[in-house]
Amino acid sequence: MGTTKTRVSLVSPCFNEEANVEELYRRVCEVMAGLPQYEFEYLFIDNASTDRTLELLKGLAAKDPRVKLIVNTRNFGHLRSPYWGIIQARGDVTIYLASDLQDPPELIPQFLAAWEEGYPIVLAVKPVSHTNPFIHWLRKLYYRVLDTISEVSIIKDATGFGLYDRVVLDQVRQIGDPQPYFRGLICELGFPIKTIAFKQQRRQRGISKNNAYTLYDLAMLGIVSHSVVPIRLAAMLGFIIGLLSFLVAFIFLILKLLMWDTFPIGIAPIVIGMFLMFGIVLMFIGILGEYIASIHTYVRHRPVVVERERINFED
């Protein structure tokens, strides 16, 4: 009887990546050909691309039964679609990599070697990146802040590119988070994590799907999912400022009563104080709104994504 090979599932989300998917598939196949002790499947999840991405993926799936394809009915965003693809994988281990070629498939052997050493999670981290230096600095600053205020330690400079053992993803599936901050969620599970540093290259073809809003969305999701510090800080500052405002008002009242004819209250302090208070209140309402929006996402019980079709999946 032959020995059953370890099954590796590779997962790549796609949205308008017609310039990259074929080269990505070729490079992954070349890497896996050098690892004959493993068998693999490659799962692409297409987030309603509007270019030829889906056509090219269907062509790959027709030629290679190891290529599996999930097609979404619409664009479900840059968080939900990749997450859905990951939890649909059924390999002994799952490797997630982006479809823009900024996550090099050549790191796969290092991931698997670390997994063989006993690490259930192996994450690629990018302390150095050849992408926009300001954005890279902003990301590093954000992760430092998030790690400081989070209830668990967050792996800095990780993007999700990495390897996840089946036992890890089984835990993720049980959680059933409809809007997950995945790189924070896996840290919260408490499994040992091995990190492998790499230099992220600049995107060569196609355009990035991230913009100011998507980056803000990701940042706020990470904060509200893994820390209650902002809402508690808002409450504490609210109490402190309220107390100070009461003391200032009391002092003004006493001074006015003692020097009724000579002490002018003036309009400027009143106007400045009102604008300061309104600004603080609106900021706190915004923070509270982020947490309420997160709760609202949970209670709606809507699906992570809705699939239009699947290709090369067993019944």
Side-chain angles (χ1 to χ4, degrees):
M1 295 178 64
T3 303
T4 302
K5 293 183 177 181
T6 299
R7 189 174 195 183
V8 179
S9 294
L10 297 112
V11 177
S12 290
C14 300
F15 177 69
N16 290 352
E17 294 289 355
E18 63 179 2
N20 296 314
V21 289
E22 290 184 316
E23 181 180 344
L24 176 63
Y25 164 77
R26 177 185 59 79
R27 287 170 60 180
V28 166
C29 288
E30 288 177 355
V31 170
M32 295 307 298
L35 300 167
Q37 67 272 36
Y38 302 100
E39 64 178 13
F40 78 98
E41 63 178 9
Y42 200 166
L43 193 161
F44 290 92
I45 179 165
D46 183 74
N47 209 13
S49 294
T50 57
D51 61 0
R52 295 180 60 244
T53 299
L54 182 56
E55 175 188 341
L56 296 175
L57 291 176
K58 286 185 173 181
L60 294 175
K63 293 185 296 184
D64 188 347
R66 298 173 301 181
V67 175
K68 301 179 183 296
L69 178 59
I70 296 175
V71 183
N72 296 340
T73 56
R74 66 171 179 85
N75 189 323
F76 284 91
H78 64 294
L79 294 173
R80 293 161 64 181
S81 185
Y83 171 72
W84 183 252
I86 290 173
I87 64 175
Q88 298 311 300
R90 289 297 182 267
D92 298 298
V93 295
T94 296
I95 296 175
Y96 169 84
L97 67 165
S99 56
D100 57 9
L101 297 178
Q102 290 185 282
D103 295 343
E106 290 72 22
L107 285 182
I108 291 174
Q110 295 184 51
F111 292 162
L112 291 169
W115 176 73
E116 294 283 3
E117 294 173 5
Y119 289 96
I121 301 175
V122 186
L123 293 180
V125 294
K126 49 172 188 176
V128 178
S129 176
H130 294 297
T131 56
N132 186 304
F134 175 72
I135 296 297
H136 182 63
W137 173 82
L138 203 59
R139 285 178 186 269
K140 291 177 75 70
L141 177 62
Y142 166 73
Y143 285 123
R144 287 192 180 93
V145 172
L146 180 60
D147 188 51
T148 300
I149 67 175
S150 178
E151 298 169 2
V152 296
S153 181
I154 304 296
I155 301 297
K156 302 178 184 65
D157 301 317
T159 63
F161 175 36
L163 176 147
Y164 309 93
D165 189 276
R166 183 201 295 269
V167 296
V168 176
L169 295 187
D170 283 344
Q171 290 295 321
V172 171
R173 294 183 188 102
Q174 290 181 27
I175 294 171
D177 196 330
Q179 186 85 350
Y181 182 70
F182 187 71
R183 68 196 75 169
L185 179 60
I186 58 173
C187 294
E188 193 166 319
L189 294 176
F191 290 102
I193 299 176
K194 168 82 170 181
T195 59
I196 296 176
F198 78 108
K199 292 183 180 180
Q200 187 181 57
Q201 300 300 313
R202 186 180 296 274
R203 174 188 273 268
Q204 299 298 316
R205 295 187 294 272
I207 59 173
S208 173
K209 311 309 182 296
N210 288 326
N211 52 43
Y213 175 78
T214 59
L215 293 175
Y216 171 83
D217 185 34
L218 181 64
M220 292 307 300
L221 180 64
I223 291 173
V224 301
S225 297
H226 299 282
S227 177
V228 295
V229 170
I231 199 71
R232 287 179 176 170
L233 183 62
M236 291 171 61
L237 287 177
F239 284 125
I240 293 172
I241 293 172
L243 179 61
L244 291 176
S245 299
F246 175 78
L247 290 175
V248 170
F250 182 74
I251 292 171
F252 267 74
L253 175 62
I254 296 300
L255 291 174
K256 184 62 178 176
L257 291 175
L258 293 176
M259 298 176 286
W260 187 270
D261 295 324
T262 59
F263 182 75
I265 294 180
I267 298 298
I270 298 175
V271 173
I272 293 172
M274 286 181 59
F275 275 99
L276 175 63
M277 291 301 298
F278 277 125
I280 294 172
V281 168
L282 290 174
M283 181 183 71
F284 290 170
I285 290 175
I287 294 173
L288 183 62
E290 292 289 345
Y291 283 90
I292 294 174
S294 180
I295 296 171
H296 182 58
T297 301
Y298 277 86
V299 301
R300 286 184 299 178
H301 296 296
R302 293 182 180 177
V304 180
V305 304
V306 177
E307 298 179 11
R308 192 175 77 196
E309 63 177 316
R310 287 189 171 205
I311 297 175
N312 284 349
F313 281 81
E314 296 85 1
D315 293 336

